[in-house]
Amino acid sequence: MMQRRGTEASQRYEARRQREDESPRLQAEVPALESLKLEIEERRGDARNPETTYIRRIVVPSAPALFALMCGERDCEDGGHDITYPIMASLRRGQTTFEGEDVCHGSVRTTTCGRVLHYKATATYRS
């Protein structure tokens, strides 16, 4: 069981890495973007307080224009949070602060995962 789980995890990692490699670069998509910081909170769907919080500073010159984050639920299968579209739309509009949420549609055993990811972004642009 542990070996299969490790193999599945490595396959997911490789698939994610390939998506990142094939994605256009963030700098090419939003040339004026200078910096981007994402404050991430993740919680169970029915909880009020986040279980996980972290800050992700994006290295703009080399980062892919892809914002697909793994689900924080250890037992979640086929889930995650692809927040690429709303983030890229906000960056293309030149917004300096924006936020949003995404619900995981993966599964945990026999039920939908339902973890909620909330992000708050702060961006700076060159004049």
Side-chain angles (χ1 to χ4, degrees), residues 21-42:
D21 290 346
E22 293 172 353
S23 293
R25 300 293 96 183
L26 186 55
Q27 189 78 75
E29 294 293 309
V30 189
L33 184 64
E34 192 168 78
S35 70
L36 178 61
K37 176 179 80 169
L38 299 176
E39 298 175 48
I40 308 288
E41 296 181 349
E42 195 173 5

Side-chain angles (χ1 to χ4, degrees), residues 51-121:
E51 293 178 7
T52 305
T53 61
Y54 60 95
I55 294 175
R56 187 169 174 191
R57 296 182 195 284
I58 308 303
V59 181
V60 175
S62 60
L66 176 69
F67 298 92
L69 307 175
M70 294 177 59
C71 179
E73 173 59 54
R74 187 174 64 92
D75 295 324
C76 181
E77 293 183 17
D78 300 321
H81 305 277
D82 190 344
I83 52 177
T84 301
Y85 180 78
I87 287 180
M88 291 304 298
S90 295
L91 292 174
R92 286 183 178 117
R93 286 192 300 268
Q95 291 182 264
T96 56
T97 59
F98 53 93
E99 58 187 284
E101 286 191 346
D102 186 71
V103 176
C104 179
H105 296 288
S107 59
V108 178
R109 293 179 267 308
T110 60
T111 186
T112 301
C113 177
R115 284 182 73 89
V116 177
L117 178 134
H118 178 85
Y119 64 90
K120 186 184 298 185

